[in-house]
């Protein structure tokens, strides 16, 4: 690991050399050459943070980076070294407790990561060595090893496909854990590799490891005896990525090209760093203010002590003569030790126990999320999961939500809805009126029972059955025997369902449902279209040695020879097939986006179909247009020659193919259009609307195609009908025929003018522009263009591009980023996270491709979806469904933030009240470091007397009922941008603490102007003075919390009144017994004597009422504000538990 990092840091081999050479099977090529094996990294994956050796120093270093922990360590050392008024135990014990608990928690989390790494690294794989199959651990695979992978196995590293058990030399792969797409993708073997891999002599020359999942460039030199080496080009279609899974293919053989931390999956993995909440940063800022107050107090007292002692007779009075040693000591050293003693005496102004309370509040508070019954999903029989309790309050501060699409916003479940043929709409109904397999609907069309001609219908259905890359799933074992027994003489019974996709006839009875749904495709909408054609009587039976078979309405099998597939790409936004029928006709069928098809067909045909396409698009359906063209022999011969030549090119292969595709796909006839629905997650649109209502900006980051993602954004109401879309994709950059860089610069400036310069300013705290009458903007960018924006060439102004891009995005209602590599998702999150104002970001996803952005965001949320559990394992919180995000943020997040903000302010306030009288007391005791309070009170104040009420408050308080928080998303904005922990509220709490501290001290001093307060004329001493002040203090700060409590439960009552009762009981008990282990007992019967004085009772009650007067007046005269204000101010009678259980 260290060597690898150093090489990267100081520019090792990978920076000097642009490519690497790999010897297949570690054999020299040609055999006569000397063989020096190149060095590459091993196949170990490391995601853990600590090792056994560095855990203690590294963890302690991370913990002592916290200002508070470091401060308490210094104070503890001072108490140990210098003779101070208080014991080292008072600061050492809480510090040790916090450090130990945190270390155990972080150590356990890292142990789980080690365990997960070992599962991957120790996984057994089959490797071919000298013609023998050997099993070895995954971490021992080396670059150049030939690996055997069987069906449903995950690839152990990045591999080049050499051989497949399928006859057509392909294999099928799912990359759900990499890019979120759970569809099957087809990969191809390298042409001309020999069947016997033992005799294969070949080298692979390819690029150095890089994180882009969709890019790979290489070539393979195949050496044969006495022949020139054959050179074959390698592309992404030959590369199998680590983390992907082999499907529908019995067995394949591959060669390892990238291993371990150099695989594309590992390069896309973002290391796990310790996340810190905004509240913690506020605590640190407040802590610095209180540290300044502390140092100021200590300096003032030290200075005044030596000023006072400089007066004659004050330094050495007759009753307190100095020893010779004291006279000889260094004056400056004595001043410094006095300063440290004052620091320790006033040290309690820094709330040491706050950190313990905050840790407990976060840990115990997280249980309320896991216990919430609304998060329970009966389908997977699981509820919410909390992996990191440190970030509960961040859930109430989110400003940007970054969400994955596939499996998060959608169920990834496409369904054929309707189609339009020659301008007539056809909508399938199971129990509807069926006319030749069609049910015709949609207004006047259904009334007139009009249809397109039968010939057009059949042509359209043939196009759906032929224009795709769908494969029929191969049945296995017992099922294969059943299929062989059934012929293709199929009856068109009611059960002509998905069984026909397997070549099964009759009703498909006796077969499990999953075996009947036997289609595999790179895109789920392709399967939906093939199944849609089946509903109307045209069934695709499969591809056998370049022959496509379909079963038509008359139960006849039609066979077409597949000549060429013109693959889909995001620039063309269409795909075509060229087929030859039995009659010898050469046909081109094409399907694609309307904007891509309409300019290539006869314009008189467009208007008949445009209306249907636009209506379907506004309903959120995915629309595709279908066209065809009959090719003459000359046209086909020219296209065939051009395609073959372009596919062999090593340079500019894509550009050459694109030119040929565009030449062929012209002058077509438009047949019709289809509408397919990608089912949204339950309540997805409602959830997105609520998040936007709460003032959050939603960005969709997906590896999927732009068209799919765009229709999903419309369906989720992220884009509205009136939203103007600003598109920055490869397609828009190539319009105008200029350089991409120039076009990018021009578009960014144009969009910036529209969205930023010409847009009216939004008032702070007002409703964002998406809900006003102003023009809404939506922004769309793809991965390739994003790379240009973030990593511009050195001569261009990269920071300007990034700044323009960010400003445009921040002024748009929603942003869609498609064709994103996992690392690009993290880059986007990081860019927004580090932008002006440091907004709080949240990422939510369900696949391993989302892990990087989940780790990068302030809060990462995993969805317990169908794509493995990597996102859940790496997240801070996990929920079963997207809809649960609404309650997690708007209810739980809101309440957690309000609770912890109140906890933090309250702790600083009560400690200021506590230590201010101690400071004022020094002016009346000759700055002698005499404590005002007894040592027991000093230790117990934060630990016992005042800690439990605030802990209960911070766990149970509901200043607004949960139902109201969910109904009024705008309430979330009231606490946005750390609203309750800004300097304004902090100043209010500090002034309140100063007011009450002054009142306690001088109120009691006024009482002591005549110290004979008992009937027998005895006077009260200094410990009685301190005890009266302390009693008023404890009652005031506890009752202040009672006044702030809006949601009373029996626990609140128990801890508030119980704490006060415990203080009274402890004071009687502590002062009522002679304790043998104490050298001096300062409080012996002091508390009982104090309570025997009526004057003391009067002052205690009077000062408590005067201290709480500002709060009482504030509650009485402050008018409730905001929506549904009466409910906000009302005390909620329901307990937290009852609230959850109420239906």
């Amino acid at each position: 690991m260290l060597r690898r990092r150093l090489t990267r840091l100081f520019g090792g081999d990978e920076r000097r050399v642009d490519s690497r050479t790999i010897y297949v099977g570690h054999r020299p090529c040609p055999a006569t050459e000397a063989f020096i094996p190149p060095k590459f990294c091993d196949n170990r994956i490391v995601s853990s943070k600590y090792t056994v050796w560095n855990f203690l120093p590294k963890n302690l270093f991370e913990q002592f980076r916290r200002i508070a922990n470091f401060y308490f360590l210094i104070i503890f050392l001072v108490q140990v070294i210098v003779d101070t008024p208080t014991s080292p135990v008072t600061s050492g014990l809480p510090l040790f407790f916090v450090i130990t608990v945190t270390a155990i928690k972080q150590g356990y989390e890292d142990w789980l990561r080690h365990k997960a790494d070992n599962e991957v690294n120790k996984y057994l794989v089959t490797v071919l060595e000298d013609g023998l199959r050997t099993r070895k651990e995954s971490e021992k695979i080396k670059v150049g090893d030939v690996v055997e992978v069987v069906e449903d196995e995950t690839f152990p590293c990045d591999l080049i496909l050499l051989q497949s058990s399928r006859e057509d030399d392909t294999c099928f792969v799912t990359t759900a854990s990499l890019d979120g797409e759970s569809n099957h993708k087809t990969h191809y073997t390298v042409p001309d590799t020999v069947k016997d891999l033992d005799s294969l002599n070949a080298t692979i020359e390819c690029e150095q490891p890089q994180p882009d999942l969709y890019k790979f460039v290489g070539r393979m030199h195949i050496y044969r005896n006495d022949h020139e080496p054959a050179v074959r080009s390698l592309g992404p279609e030959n590369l199998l990525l680590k983390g992907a899974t082999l499907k529908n293919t019995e067995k394949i053989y591959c060669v390892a090209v990238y291993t371990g931390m150099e695989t594309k999956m590992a390069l896309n993995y973002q290391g796990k760093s310790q996340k810190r909440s905004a509240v913690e940063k506020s605590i640190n800022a407040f802590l610095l203010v209180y540290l300044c107050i502390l140092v100021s107090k200590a300096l003032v007292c030290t200075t005044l002590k030596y000023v006072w002692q400089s007066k004659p007779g004050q330094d050495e009075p007759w009753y307190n003569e100095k020893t010779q040693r004291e006279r000889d000591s260094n004056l400056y050293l004595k001043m410094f030790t006095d300063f440290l003693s004052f620091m320790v005496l006033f040290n309690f102004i820094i709330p040491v126990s706050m950190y313990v309370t905050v840790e407990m509040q976060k840990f115990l508070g997280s249980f309320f999320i896991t216990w919430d019954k609304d998060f329970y999903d009966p389908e997977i029989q699981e509820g919410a999961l909390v992996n990191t309790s440190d970030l509960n309050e961040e859930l109430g501060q989110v400003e940007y939500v970054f969400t994955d699409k596939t499996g998060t916003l959608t169920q990834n479940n496409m369904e054929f809805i309707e189609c339009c043929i020659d301008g007539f709409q056809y909508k399938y109904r199971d129990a509807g009126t069926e006319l030749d397999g069609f049910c015709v609907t949609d207004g006047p069309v259904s009334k007139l029972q009009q249809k397109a001609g039968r010939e057009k219908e059949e042509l359209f259905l043939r196009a759906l059955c032929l224009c795709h890359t769908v494969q029929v799933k191969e049945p296995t074992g017992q099922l294969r025997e059943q299929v062989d027994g059934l012929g293709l003489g199929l009856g068109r019974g009611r059960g002509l369902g998905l069984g026909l996709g397997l070549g099964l006839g009759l009703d498909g009875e006796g077969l499990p449902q999953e075996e009947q749904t036997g289609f595999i495709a790179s895109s789920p909408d392709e399967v939906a279209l093939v199944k849609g054609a089946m509903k109307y009587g045209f069934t695709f039976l499969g591809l056998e040695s370049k022959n496509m078979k379909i079963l038509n309405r008359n139960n006849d099998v039609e066979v077409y020879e597949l000549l060429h597939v013109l693959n889909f790409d995001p620039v063309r936004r269409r795909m075509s097939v060229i087929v030859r029928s039995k009659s010898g006709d050469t046909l081109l069928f094409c399907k694609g986006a309307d904007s891509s098809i309409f300019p290539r067909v006869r314009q008189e045909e467009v208007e008949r179909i445009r209306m249907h396409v636009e209506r379907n698009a506004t309903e959120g359906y995915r629309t595709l247009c279908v066209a065809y063209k009959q090719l003459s022999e000359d046209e086909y011969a020219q296209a065939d020659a051009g395609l073959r030549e372009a596919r062999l090119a090593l340079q500019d292969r894509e550009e050459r193919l694109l030119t040929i595709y565009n030449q062929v796909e012209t002058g077509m006839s438009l047949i019709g259009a289809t509408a397919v629905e990608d089912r949204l997650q339950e309540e997805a649109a409602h959830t997105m609307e609520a998040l936007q209502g709460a003032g959050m900006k939603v960005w969709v980051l997906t590896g999927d195609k732009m068209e799919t993602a765009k229709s999903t954004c419309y369906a989720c109401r992220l884009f509205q009908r009136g939203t103007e879309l600003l598109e920055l994709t490869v397609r828009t950059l190539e319009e105008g025929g200029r350089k991409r860089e120039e076009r990018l610069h021009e578009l960014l400036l144009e969009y910036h003018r529209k969205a930023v310069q010409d847009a009216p300013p939004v008032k702070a705290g007002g409703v964002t522009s998406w809900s006003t009458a102003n023009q809404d903007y939506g922004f769309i960018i793809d991965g390739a263009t994003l790379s240009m924006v973030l990593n511009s060439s050195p001569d261009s102004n990269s920071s300007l591009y990034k700044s323009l891009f960010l400003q445009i995005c921040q002024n748009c209602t929603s942003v869609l980023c498609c064709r994103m590599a996992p690392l690009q998702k993290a880059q986007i999150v990081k860019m927004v996270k580090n932008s002006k104002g440091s907004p709080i970001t949240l990422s939510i996803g369900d696949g391993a491709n989302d892990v990087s952005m989940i780790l990068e965001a302030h809060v990462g949320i995993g969805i317990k979806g169908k794509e493995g559990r990597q996102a859940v394992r790496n997240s801070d919180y996990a929920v079963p469904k997207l809809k649960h995000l609404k309650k997690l943020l708007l209810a739980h997040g809101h309440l957690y933030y309000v609770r912890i903000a109140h906890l933090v302010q309250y702790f600083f306030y009560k400690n200021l009240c506590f230590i201010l009288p101690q400071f004022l007391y020094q002016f009346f005791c000759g700055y002698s470091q005499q404590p005002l309070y007894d040592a027991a009170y000093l230790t117990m104040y934060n630990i016992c007397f005042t800690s439990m009420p605030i802990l209960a408050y911070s766990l149970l308080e509901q200043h607004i009922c949960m139902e109201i928080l969910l109904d009024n998303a705008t309430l979330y904005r009231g606490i946005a941008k750390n609203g309750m922990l800004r300097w304004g509220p902090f100043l209010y709490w500090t002034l309140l603490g100063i007011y009450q501290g002054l009142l306690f001290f001088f109120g009691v001093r006024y009482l002591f102007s005549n110290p004979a307060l008992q009937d027998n004329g005895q006077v009260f001493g200094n410990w009685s003075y301190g005890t009266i002040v302390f009693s008023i203090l404890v009652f005031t700060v506890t009752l202040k919390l009672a006044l702030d409590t809006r949601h009373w439960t029996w626990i609140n009552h128990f801890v508030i009144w119980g704490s006060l009762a415990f203080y009274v009981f402890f004071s009687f008990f502590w002062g009522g017994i002679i304790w043998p282990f104490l050298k001096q007992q300062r409080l012996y019967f002091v508390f009982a004597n104090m309570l025997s004085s009526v004057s003391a009772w009067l002052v205690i009650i009077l000062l408590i009422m005067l201290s709480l007067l500002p709060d009482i007046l504030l509650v009485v005269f402050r008018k409730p504000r905001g929506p549904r204000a009466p409910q906000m101010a009302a005390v909620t009678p329901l307990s937290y538990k009852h609230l959850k259980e109420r239906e």
Side-chain angles (χ1 to χ4, degrees), residues 1046-1078:
R1046 295 278 174 279
H1047 178 72
W1048 284 90
T1049 66
W1050 66 267
I1051 299 174
N1052 295 85
H1053 283 291
F1054 178 75
V1055 294
I1056 285 176
W1057 313 124
S1059 290
L1060 295 176
F1062 174 72
Y1063 164 67
V1064 174
F1065 170 76
F1066 175 82
S1067 298
F1068 273 119
F1069 187 65
W1070 182 247
I1073 297 173
I1074 296 173
W1075 299 100
F1077 55 83
L1078 292 178

Side-chain angles (χ1 to χ4, degrees), residues 317-555:
W318 60 269
Y319 56 84
N320 191 14
E321 289 185 6
K322 288 183 180 179
T323 62
Q324 191 58 40
R325 188 180 172 189
E326 283 176 328
R327 289 194 186 101
D328 295 341
S329 63
N330 185 298
L331 177 66
Y332 294 107
L333 183 65
K334 192 154 183 354
M335 285 174 81
F336 181 65
T337 53
D338 276 335
F339 171 74
L340 290 180
S341 296
F342 278 119
M343 285 281 285
V344 169
L345 184 65
F346 302 144
N347 162 46
F348 293 93
I349 196 171
I350 305 296
V352 56
S353 60
M354 179 176 72
Y355 283 88
V356 184
T357 312
V358 165
E359 288 285 332
M360 288 174 71
Q361 190 267 350
K362 287 180 175 183
F363 175 69
L364 296 172
S366 62
F367 286 110
F368 289 123
I369 294 175
T370 53
W371 289 339
D372 195 324
K373 288 178 182 174
D374 290 343
F375 292 154
Y376 182 78
D377 183 37
E379 196 181 316
I380 59 169
Q381 297 193 334
E382 285 184 50
L385 177 72
V386 178
N387 293 328
T388 311
S389 57
D390 293 346
L391 303 168
N392 293 343
E393 64 277 8
E394 293 288 78
L395 296 170
Q397 291 295 295
V398 176
E399 292 172 63
Y400 283 85
V401 175
F402 299 94
T403 170
D404 177 39
K405 184 192 78 72
T406 313
T408 305
L409 290 176
T410 69
Q411 298 176 12
N412 201 22
N413 185 10
M414 300 278 189
E415 189 185 353
F416 184 90
I417 299 296
E418 61 180 67
C419 59
C420 156
I421 304 172
D422 206 22
F424 299 99
Q425 188 195 20
Y426 293 77
K427 201 164 191 172
Y428 181 79
R429 280 186 192 157
D430 285 324
T433 314
E434 201 166 327
L435 300 166
D436 293 328
F438 283 84
C439 180
V440 188
T441 60
D442 196 23
V445 177
S446 60
K447 286 177 192 170
L448 299 168
Q449 289 294 305
Q450 291 177 344
K451 298 198 303 173
R454 187 180 178 92
E455 195 181 322
K456 270 280 174 73
E457 287 178 1
E458 293 196 345
L459 185 64
F460 177 80
L461 291 170
R462 280 192 189 94
L464 292 190
C465 279
L466 296 170
C467 188
H468 56 70
T469 55
V470 175
Q471 304 275 342
V472 174
K473 183 171 170 65
E474 291 178 350
T476 51
Q478 186 185 346
L479 184 65
R480 187 179 276 120
E481 290 167 21
Q482 288 180 318
V483 175
D484 292 342
L486 298 163
L488 281 174
L490 300 167
R492 188 168 177 238
R494 183 167 172 76
L496 188 70
L498 302 177
L500 291 173
L502 286 164
L504 298 174
L506 313 172
D507 291 340
E509 287 177 6
L511 297 176
Q513 184 63 36
E514 59 269 18
E515 289 293 358
Q516 292 183 37
T517 56
F519 293 121
I520 295 169
S522 61
S523 169
D525 56 348
E526 289 211 313
V527 176
L529 294 178
V530 171
K531 288 181 179 177
M534 281 175 63
K535 290 177 180 177
Y536 302 127
F538 270 72
T539 306
F540 174 59
L541 299 176
L543 175 70
E544 281 180 27
S545 58
K546 295 288 182 185
N547 286 326
M548 297 180 88
K549 294 182 180 178
I550 56 176
L551 184 77
N552 64 21
R553 293 181 187 175
N554 305 321
N555 296 336

